[in-house]
Amino acid sequence: MLSFYRAIASKLQPLQPLWLLLALASLCWLGYLLLLAPVEVSQRWQLTALVSFAFVLNMLLMTLLFAHPSPPAVASDFWGRLQNRLRHILQYSLAWLVTILFLIIIWLFLRIALGIIAPLLF
């Protein structure tokens, strides 16, 4: 799992300024919907803005956490080995966290798509 995220993050690292601009744009869109938009528009597009902001933030998180591989574990004493194992466990838990966040974002996106597409077709 870590190698998968490292490969994706290394390919997406050059696009990090784009992810930052998209995060700012979706945050501004969400702010507009919360503060200035009419109620009908706000209720219709608020979840979409929130999900797009969460997706872009998750992409930024992935590129920041997994773009650089961890240093090789060359420890001979107990504390060095323990530190390397804890670092490895933390990286795996962060990979699982990113995966769970992606699944939640995909589930919310599908709910939004169903809410938008279903009234258009039926």
Side-chain angles (χ1 to χ4, degrees), residues 4 10 13 17 30 35 38 42-43 45 51 57 62 64 71 74 77 83 85 96-97 99 103 105 111 119:
F4 170 73
S10 65
Q13 175 116 24
L30 183 62
L35 301 174
S42 178
Q43 287 178 349
W45 295 105
V51 169
L57 278 183
M62 187 179 62
L64 288 174
V74 195
D77 61 340
Q83 186 179 17
R85 287 182 183 163
W96 275 107
L97 177 70
T99 303
L103 290 174
I105 289 169
R111 294 220 22 176

Side-chain angles (χ1 to χ4, degrees), residues 50-117:
L50 187 63
V51 169
S52 64
F53 181 64
F55 175 76
V56 174
L57 278 183
N58 208 17
M59 293 300 285
L60 273 172
L61 178 70
M62 187 179 62
T63 57
L64 288 174
L65 290 177
F66 301 110
H68 305 290
S70 60
V74 195
S76 59
D77 61 340
F78 173 74
W79 294 110
R81 288 193 310 263
L82 181 66
Q83 186 179 17
N84 287 335
R85 287 182 183 163
L86 288 175
R87 184 179 303 126
H88 196 68
I89 289 170
L90 181 64
Q91 286 179 344
Y92 264 115
S93 62
L94 287 173
W96 275 107
L97 177 70
V98 168
T99 303
I100 290 169
L101 288 174
F102 269 127
L103 290 174
I104 291 170
I105 289 169
I106 289 170
W107 179 73
L108 285 172
F109 173 74
L110 290 174
R111 294 220 22 176
I112 291 168
L114 183 65
I116 292 173
I117 294 172

